[in-house]
Amino acid sequence: MPSIETMASGNPSLTLTEDTEWETFPDQAADFVRMFGGIVLKRIDTPVERIWIVLIKWRPFYLTFEDFPLRMTLDSMNSSCASVIHEIHAHLIAEARQQAR
């Protein structure tokens, strides 16, 4: 279930899914960006990390694969991203409730 946390910066981070793996992250990330009309600015893909820099509603985010705990997150780059995080969270919660019916 999607959840919001506050990062050390004070900006919000949205856990999108805990159902992800190193191999599935690129497809899941691409689907997420497409679903919210985002733009991928940069893909950082090294042997130890997977992070995409994306714009959603013209605000910058890190779309991140985390391996402990295992999850995919959307991390705000600045305070102007908070409203988008809350909007996406509400959309994902509503979608999850509808699928549960």
Side-chain angles (χ1 to χ4, degrees):
M1 184 70 69
S3 62
I4 298 174
E5 298 175 13
T6 302
M7 299 183 295
S9 66
N11 295 325
S13 171
L14 174 60
T15 296
L16 300 168
T17 184
E18 294 175 346
D19 184 21
T20 190
E21 296 179 13
W22 183 264
E23 297 81 13
T24 62
F25 173 79
D27 289 338
Q28 289 174 304
D31 289 346
F32 173 80
V33 170
R34 196 171 20 260
M35 179 187 305
F36 289 97
I39 299 168
V40 177
L41 299 178
K42 185 172 187 175
R43 290 176 179 88
I44 301 164
D45 193 12
T46 73
V48 296
E49 68 183 347
R50 285 198 151 153
I51 300 171
W52 290 11
I53 298 173
V54 300
L55 285 180
I56 299 175
K57 296 199 174 201
W58 301 110
R59 292 185 178 82
F61 296 91
Y62 296 109
L63 186 55
T64 306
F65 171 82
E66 296 185 15
D67 59 357
F68 189 77
L70 191 61
R71 61 188 179 165
M72 181 169 67
T73 63
L74 184 67
D75 302 329
S76 303
M77 286 184 148
N78 60 52
S79 60
S80 74
C81 300
S83 63
V84 176
I85 288 279
H86 290 283
E87 186 178 321
I88 292 171
H89 179 254
H91 175 89
L92 294 174
I93 293 293
E95 188 176 271
R97 287 184 180 145
Q98 194 163 20
Q99 288 178 356
R101 290 182 185 168

